[in-house]
Amino acid sequence: MFKIGCHLSASKGFMNMGRTIVKMGGNTFQYFSRNPRGGNAKALDEKDCSDFRLFCSENGIEQILCHAPYTLNTCSKDENIRTFAKNTMKDDLMRMEYVPGNMYNFHPGSHVGQGTEKGIEFIAEALNEVMTEDMHTTVLLETMAGKGTEIGSRFEEIAEIIKRTKSGDKLGVCMDTCHVYDAGYDIVNDLDGVMEEFDKIIGLDRLKAIHINDSKNPFESHKDRHEKIGEGSIGTEAFERIINHEYLRKLPFYLETPNDEAGYIGEISMLKNLYKNI
């Protein structure tokens, strides 16, 4: 089964998001845990969570993805910023226990001049503090484009974070197609080679989800600007290969393209038509 969805607003609760994605032709979705620029999370409605779990079982929604706010920086040189990030992640992971078995994605962060080694040390330290052995959520490190002092644009950096994390069995990776292409991994002309490199350095068992986005910028630009599917430098033909690749086709795909609801409906339909049921 092709697992495809897009980013939805969580302002009206889980049931609203569930009904919306089914109406749009999808069977999974991503949402922000709170305002993407930070702030307090909306109070949980336990009945909404309970109704949503039943709705998922009845409508073929197997797993969803929660995205942490963009403002979190677990490897800042400022201890207060790191503490804020860890407290937010702890709260998010606690709230996700109301919809167990799902995924939580975050940007590793920017080392802001301290160096990659120090940044990796801080990220692993944060994960070891916020993750618990009894939690039911898989935490995902997102692959990044490498702008500025971002950590996570190289597979080796992600592998090193995982290596230093105690609850490693609950830690995975979300590969963003725009980000990896902008970072210098040629998924257009050498998708097999990129996947083999990922497997060698990180391990395909760690790959849990795909952010499926075209790129406004050329290969290895390190810019991170998403484009609608087929309208950027990656192109429709490459996305057909990506969603049908033997290592990727069973993973959930999440659109983060610059679209409104009608645009997402069109992209979901297009990708479903490109997917080969074998």
Side-chain angles (χ1 to χ4, degrees):
M1 179 179 68
F2 184 38
K3 301 170 189 174
I4 181 68
C6 63
H7 192 94
L8 298 177
S9 169
S11 61
K12 294 182 180 179
F14 284 111
M15 279 299 295
N16 180 71
M17 289 189 287
R19 293 190 185 102
T20 298
I21 199 62
V22 169
K23 182 184 69 174
M24 295 170 71
N27 51 15
T28 186
F29 61 86
Q30 174 181 273
Y31 68 100
F32 277 119
S33 63
R34 58 194 71 212
N35 187 301
R37 298 302 171 190
N40 294 326
K42 181 182 176 182
L44 273 175
D45 181 335
E46 292 190 35
K47 185 177 186 305
D48 178 61
C49 294
S50 176
D51 290 346
F52 174 69
R53 293 196 298 269
L54 178 60
F55 181 87
C56 287
S57 67
E58 294 174 341
N59 289 273
I61 299 175
E62 295 180 3
Q63 206 169 35
I64 59 173
L65 179 60
C66 175
H67 200 304
Y70 292 138
T71 49
L72 301 192
N73 188 2
T74 56
C75 60
S76 171
K77 64 171 63 175
D78 187 325
E79 184 178 357
N80 290 330
I81 293 175
R82 297 198 307 274
T83 298
F84 170 79
K86 288 185 284 189
N87 288 341
T88 300
M89 293 175 74
K90 285 178 185 177
D91 184 56
D92 286 348
L93 291 172
M94 178 275 294
R95 294 161 63 86
M96 290 200 71
E97 289 301 302
Y98 288 89
V99 283
N102 291 302
M103 301 178 291
Y104 179 75
N105 179 74
F106 79 105
H107 293 181
S110 297
H111 64 71
V112 290
Q114 303 173 97
T116 301
E117 170 61 29
K118 191 63 177 178
I120 288 173
E121 178 185 325
F122 278 143
I123 296 165
E125 176 186 286
L127 288 169
N128 284 330
E129 186 172 328
V130 305
M131 296 175 69
T132 62
E133 291 185 2
D134 60 347
M135 68 185 214
H136 298 89
T137 299
T138 301
V139 176
L140 306 185
L141 293 151
E142 183 171 339
T143 59
M144 304 307 295
K147 58 184 172 67
T149 60
E150 278 183 341
I151 292 177
S153 65
R154 307 311 302 167
F155 294 161
E156 289 85 356
E157 295 171 3
I158 292 175
E160 187 61 29
I161 294 168
I162 294 171
K163 178 181 176 182
R164 300 186 190 191
T165 304
K166 296 173 185 175
S167 300
D169 60 325
K170 295 182 174 68
L171 192 59
V173 177
C174 175
M175 180 182 287
D176 187 301
T177 55
C178 171
H179 294 178
V180 294
Y181 190 68
D182 284 15
Y185 292 99
D186 194 355
I187 57 174
V188 174
N189 299 301
D190 189 21
L191 179 59
D192 285 341
V194 172
M195 297 316 303
E196 287 168 8
E197 186 172 358
F198 185 98
D199 190 30
K200 180 181 178 181
I201 296 170
I202 299 175
L204 284 167
D205 60 319
R206 296 285 185 183
L207 188 55
K208 304 296 184 182
I210 306 291
H211 280 165
I212 184 165
N213 306 300
D214 215 323
S215 175
K216 289 182 181 291
N217 296 102
F219 177 65
E220 209 168 4
S221 62
H222 304 289
K223 295 289 186 182
D224 184 13
R225 295 189 64 208
H226 298 186
E227 183 55 281
K228 297 173 184 176
I229 301 298
E231 296 185 19
S233 58
I234 298 176
T236 305
E237 290 184 6
F239 283 112
E240 182 174 6
R241 292 192 292 272
I242 289 167
I243 63 174
N244 288 292
H245 194 277
E246 61 176 320
Y247 295 155
L248 304 175
R249 56 182 287 108
K250 293 182 180 179
L251 298 174
F253 291 84
Y254 300 93
L255 289 156
E256 297 179 315
T257 49
N259 261 317
D260 55 15
E261 184 172 312
Y264 278 135
I265 290 172
E267 286 186 334
I268 289 170
S269 176
M270 175 181 66
L271 291 168
K272 286 169 73 173
N273 286 333
L274 293 174
Y275 186 78
K276 297 177 176 62
N277 291 303
I278 56 176

